[in-house]
Amino acid sequence: MTAAARTTAVWAGLSAITLVSWFLAPAHHAEPVTASTAITIAVLTLALIKTRMIIGEFMEVRTAPVWLKLATDGWLVVLFGAIVAIDLW
Amino acid sequence: MANTSTAHLPASKDLWVFVLGDFVIFGSYFVIFMISRRQERDLFIESQRQLSLNIGVVNTLVLLASSWFVARAVQVARSGEFERARKLTIGAGLCGVVFMLVKAYEWLAKIAQGHTFPSNSFFMYYYMLTGVHLFHVAIGLVFLGVVYVELRKRKPLALVETGATYWHMVDLLWVVIFALLYVMR
Amino acid sequence: MTVATAAAPAWTHKPKIDQWIAWWTIPVFYNVFGLIFVVLTRVMPPPRPDITPAQIVQFFVDHSLSIRIGFALLMFFIGFASVANGLIALQIKRMSVSPVFAYAYIGSLVVGGLPGCLIPAFAFVAAALRPDRDPQIMVMLYDWCLLSFVGSLGCFCTQNMVLALAIFLDRNDVLPKWLAYMSIWMIVTELLAAPVFVFRSGPLAWNGSISFYLGTVIFVVWEFCMIRLLYVAIRNQQPSEQIQD
């Protein structure tokens, strides 16, 4: 796959995941909206996937030195871990 | 033949100091948001319904497209097609401007509905997070302007990569803001 | 019998001794600043905006003497900040950019220093002088000090913008580019201090986790870096270097 095709595929994937959130978000539901652990986890998982794709592909960390990969992955783990922990504990 | 590492650090180390630091700073904002949200969960979920998901999705798609433009610009610049790279950079910049206009429209709509900065905790975070992010977008547009000028000079691409990496950071932060403010419950 | 005229001591001939003296005012200033604002006057961390007038009056009764002594000290030491800024302005003049940036840097700190340090001092001192005033007046002086102290941080945005721009444009590498990026963080946290005018509690109040604490942490980091970078810049500077007017 050429670099161009890969970039476009990444963009298409990110946009598709974004559209999925249209269905997960509250505005579409007629019944009273309540907190939902399943949806929270789903949304955060999708956000994690998107951010990791942006970092790895667009920011080219995938082909960067190891220390940068560790730093960015580390930040993602700490951030999303904290978000999940605060919401669910 | 010696096994040389093919790892390539895009953009300058200085910019990565900024990006990683900005990640930590925004991360702090997100954690503080989550703690407040946990304390007033019903309020946050109810207030979230006042946001326009459509606008949020549009803005997300616009920024993702702008990142595509920027990523492509770097790639074609690397193969020497500077003219095309400049056009792609303008594309990214236009997306950025669209994002800002949509955001301004969204804010005005919310204010017209009576949801102001001090209305409640949720809207405090809404305006604060999107506001600080908007500031970053504005700086990003300046950086893209520098990228455009650099491409004209056809010199080594360090500054082009720097501007591109910064822009992707702006895109990434919005992805998280979108998830936390508009979608997550 | 002739009286030998005293020659200047050898240390005054040390290269760049003038800049080193200026540099030393910086750590001295910040240590004294900490003593004044944290220990004596209790402005850092700030007491809460959301307490009753009676509690505010009690605060001034409890700390009346230390507030007045602390801010009396400030009257002498506040000028040290001007020396530091003169030093930074000189380093900016060493850059390949117009001295406009150096002048703007100094000017913007004057603008910020007034509401940032001096106005808060006088508000608190007035309250501390006669704590038996009308409680509403005490509340006003309390608000005035703390709104000014935290809320005026935006005045320093110009300082950081000027410094960042100068560093980005500089071809002489006087200060590293990452300091320019850090200055952008400072701008963000300074912008987030303005909401203290809107909120009386929560993270965007004058004692808030975002408006005050996060901003203070980033400022401390930035200042440590600045002190260290100035040291390196002076050390690497050629004594014979020509600096633009």
Side-chain angles (χ1 to χ4, degrees):
Chain A
M1 188 186 263
T2 65
R6 190 186 176 101
T7 300
T8 304
V10 166
W11 163 77
L14 288 169
S15 301
I17 297 176
T18 302
L19 291 171
V20 169
S21 62
W22 224 327
F23 299 100
L24 289 176
H28 273 269
H29 298 263
E31 71 274 9
V33 177
T34 53
S36 161
T37 304
I39 295 200
T40 295
I41 300 287
V43 169
L44 291 174
T45 306
L46 289 179
L48 179 58
I49 293 174
K50 283 164 80 174
T51 49
R52 199 150 188 279
M53 276 172 76
I54 294 176
I55 290 177
E57 299 291 333
F58 283 160
M59 296 174 97
E60 299 182 297
V61 170
R62 194 176 51 94
T63 49
V66 173
W67 63 264
L68 189 58
K69 290 187 197 178
L70 288 175
T72 52
D73 274 347
W75 174 72
L76 285 175
V77 164
V78 170
L79 176 65
F80 281 91
I83 291 175
V84 169
I86 294 172
D87 200 56
L88 297 181
W89 112 71
Chain B
M1 189 163 105
N3 186 18
T4 51
S5 164
T6 53
H8 162 70
L9 182 73
S12 62
K13 265 211 175 105
D14 299 304
L15 180 78
W16 279 108
V17 166
F18 179 76
V19 170
L20 294 174
D22 226 37
F23 280 171
V24 170
I25 293 174
F26 263 93
S28 311
Y29 298 153
F30 295 146
V31 166
I32 292 173
F33 166 82
M34 286 304 299
I35 294 174
S36 285
R37 182 175 181 275
R38 195 191 153 76
Q39 290 166 350
E40 296 179 272
R41 185 170 281 160
D42 292 336
L43 174 75
F44 273 56
I45 293 180
E46 193 46 47
S47 301
Q48 183 185 48
R49 303 198 69 191
Q50 312 302 319
L51 290 183
S52 166
L53 180 67
N54 295 343
I55 293 185
V57 168
V58 163
N59 261 351
T60 308
L61 293 176
V62 164
L63 267 191
L64 288 174
S66 73
S67 269
W68 177 86
F69 276 112
V70 165
R72 288 293 299 136
V74 170
Q75 284 167 352
V76 303
R78 279 180 185 149
S79 48
E81 303 171 72
F82 293 101
E83 180 61 40
R84 202 165 151 220
R86 287 213 305 277
K87 292 205 173 89
L88 289 164
T89 304
I90 292 189
L94 284 176
C95 286
V97 171
V98 167
F99 179 91
M100 292 183 80
L101 291 173
V102 170
K103 181 58 59 189
Y105 165 76
E106 188 188 8
W107 279 3
L108 288 172
K110 291 303 139 217
I111 292 172
Q113 288 165 6
H115 305 301
T116 58
F117 196 16
S119 283
N120 63 32
S121 297
F122 176 83
F123 278 99
M124 178 190 81
Y125 284 106
Y126 165 72
Y127 286 108
M128 184 207 111
L129 289 171
T130 56
V132 174
H133 179 262
L134 203 65
F135 177 73
H136 281 74
V137 173
I139 295 183
L141 288 176
V142 172
F143 280 13
L144 284 184
V146 172
V147 166
Y148 181 84
V149 168
E150 279 297 299
L151 285 171
R152 192 178 262 151
K153 289 192 264 174
R154 298 162 172 260
K155 274 172 23 190
L157 296 175
L159 268 178
V160 172
E161 288 183 350
T162 296
T165 303
Y166 176 90
W167 190 263
H168 295 312
M169 178 195 76
V170 171
D171 184 14
L172 186 155
L173 291 174
W174 173 258
V175 163
V176 183
I177 292 175
F178 174 65
L180 293 181
L181 283 179
Y182 291 79
V183 193
M184 183 183 81
R185 60 184 168 93
Chain C
M1 179 165 134
T2 52
V3 173
T5 47
W11 62 264
T12 61
H13 294 300
K14 184 176 163 187
K16 303 170 286 184
I17 183 65
D18 42 9
Q19 291 199 69
W20 288 121
I21 293 175
W23 183 89
W24 270 106
T25 64
I26 307 181
V28 168
F29 173 76
Y30 280 106
N31 278 294
V32 174
F33 186 93
L35 175 69
I36 293 174
F37 281 90
V38 177
V39 177
L40 292 175
T41 64
R42 307 297 176 130
V43 173
M44 290 178 77
R48 302 171 58 150
D50 50 349
I51 53 178
T52 66
Q55 289 170 304
I56 291 175
V57 172
Q58 191 57 44
F59 169 85
F60 285 116
V61 168
D62 290 340
H63 304 297
S64 172
L65 187 61
S66 61
I67 286 176
R68 287 178 283 155
I69 291 180
F71 282 130
L73 269 178
L74 183 68
M75 296 298 109
F76 176 81
F77 285 100
I78 187 69
F80 280 41
S82 304
V83 176
N85 297 328
L87 178 61
I88 297 174
L90 180 75
Q91 294 297 326
I92 295 177
K93 284 176 73 171
R94 288 179 61 211
M95 299 180 186
S96 62
V97 294
S98 157
V100 160
F101 290 99
Y103 307 147
Y105 188 87
I106 294 177
S108 56
L109 277 151
V110 172
V111 169
L114 209 66
C117 271
L118 293 174
I119 290 179
F122 287 108
F124 255 31
V125 165
L129 183 68
R130 291 187 233 265
D132 53 346
R133 287 183 217 276
D134 176 351
Q136 283 305 316
I137 295 182
M138 302 295 275
V139 171
M140 189 195 73
L141 291 168
Y142 181 82
D143 287 346
W144 200 342
C145 164
L146 293 161
L147 283 175
S148 191
F149 182 70
V150 183
S152 67
L153 280 172
C155 293
F156 294 109
C157 283
T158 306
Q159 164 209 0
N160 292 116
M161 280 190 264
V162 159
L163 182 64
L165 193 51
I167 294 176
F168 279 135
L169 293 174
D170 176 32
R171 289 185 301 274
N172 297 340
D173 287 331
V174 175
L175 292 172
K177 302 289 181 241
W178 58 259
L179 183 68
Y181 287 118
M182 283 187 74
S183 299
I184 297 181
W185 295 340
M186 294 281 284
I187 295 174
V188 171
T189 56
E190 284 158 359
L191 288 175
L192 282 176
V196 307
F197 299 161
V198 177
F199 296 96
R200 273 185 273 182
S201 63
L204 296 182
W206 72 50
N207 65 335
S209 50
I210 293 177
S211 288
F212 178 75
Y213 287 95
L214 205 51
T216 302
V217 166
I218 290 171
F219 172 73
V220 169
V221 171
W222 183 90
E223 191 60 45
F224 266 111
C225 291
M226 178 60 104
I227 292 176
R228 171 88 194 135
L229 288 172
L230 283 174
Y231 181 91
V232 168
I234 299 173
R235 193 189 59 198
N236 293 341
Q237 186 177 343
Q238 295 302 318
S240 55
E241 181 181 317
Q242 295 289 341
I243 302 176
Q244 58 181 327
D245 263 335

